[in-house]
Amino acid sequence: MTDLDHLKADLDYVQTAVQRGRRDMGAAPMYYLWAILVAIGFALPDFAPRAALPFWTVAGLGGGLLSVWLAHRYGRNMGVRDAEMGWRQGMHWLASGIAIGIAMLAIATGKVPPDTGAPLMLALVGQAYLLAGIHIHPPLRWSGAVLLVSAAALVWFRIPYLWTGIGLAVAVALAAGGIAAQRAARR
């Protein structure tokens, strides 16, 4: 390694340490992407139930891949090169996605009735978002909390268009997170 390479590595380390010390709110476009996907996807059980599973299969995978790209671009634009943090974030979302996928598969194959599985799946999603808000990007706590409360609502309430209402509430929380991320990026 040349002296210039060492200097670059040292400067990357300092930049990463400084960025880690700030409140990282995440990439605003990711919040908006998921707000749109959630608003559409959560309305499907109320208006087009058969389309919900195919939608989430495509939107979950596609949105996840697009989120990886957006996160990489965000980190590059912020000047942060922290492979370890990127790996931990990636593993958080991959593990969460696998758990959610298992719940979706159990419901889709009839192993778990939808009325039982849906609140549990929503609780898994809520936990993933809440923990991401605690450990990664603080605005995700809001949508995580809304998702957990919504999971409980699915257990105890049978009201028309509940899924649509939940989707709108989560979308608003995600959009608020996007606004907070945009404001933080301007500072």
Side-chain angles (χ1 to χ4, degrees):
M1 207 178 224
T2 68
D3 287 340
L4 190 57
D5 291 334
H6 282 289
L7 179 60
K8 184 179 179 325
D10 289 345
L11 288 173
D12 285 347
Y13 176 80
V14 170
Q15 174 70 21
T16 299
V18 168
Q19 288 296 334
R20 193 177 288 145
R22 295 181 183 160
R23 274 187 84 185
D24 182 8
M25 304 298 258
M30 276 198 298
Y31 289 97
Y32 300 136
L33 167 69
W34 286 102
I36 292 166
L37 293 176
V38 164
I40 294 167
F42 279 41
L44 289 175
D46 290 332
F47 296 101
R50 291 179 182 248
L53 182 62
F55 174 85
W56 281 114
T57 301
V58 172
L61 293 172
L65 292 173
L66 185 54
S67 293
V68 168
W69 179 77
L70 289 168
H72 178 73
R73 192 181 84 173
Y74 169 76
R76 187 181 65 229
N77 290 343
M78 295 294 290
V80 177
R81 292 174 189 89
D82 190 348
E84 181 184 333
M85 177 60 83
W87 176 257
R88 285 197 318 254
Q89 289 180 18
M91 289 299 100
H92 168 87
W93 291 113
L94 179 63
S96 298
I98 290 170
I100 294 162
I102 291 168
M104 285 176 65
L105 186 62
I107 294 168
T109 59
K111 300 289 182 187
V112 175
D115 286 350
T116 303
L120 297 176
M121 187 174 61
L122 206 57
L124 283 172
V125 176
Q127 181 183 32
Y129 272 69
L130 186 61
L131 290 175
I134 292 168
H135 299 293
I136 302 171
H137 302 300
L140 289 171
R141 291 180 294 202
W142 308 332
S143 50
V146 170
L147 284 159
L148 287 173
V149 168
S150 298
L154 283 176
V155 171
W156 286 294
F157 301 110
R158 298 282 182 247
I159 55 178
Y161 306 109
L162 181 57
W163 275 103
T164 302
I166 290 169
L168 292 174
V170 174
V172 166
L174 286 166
I179 292 167
Q182 275 185 304
R183 286 182 180 159
R186 287 188 203 126
R187 288 186 217 139

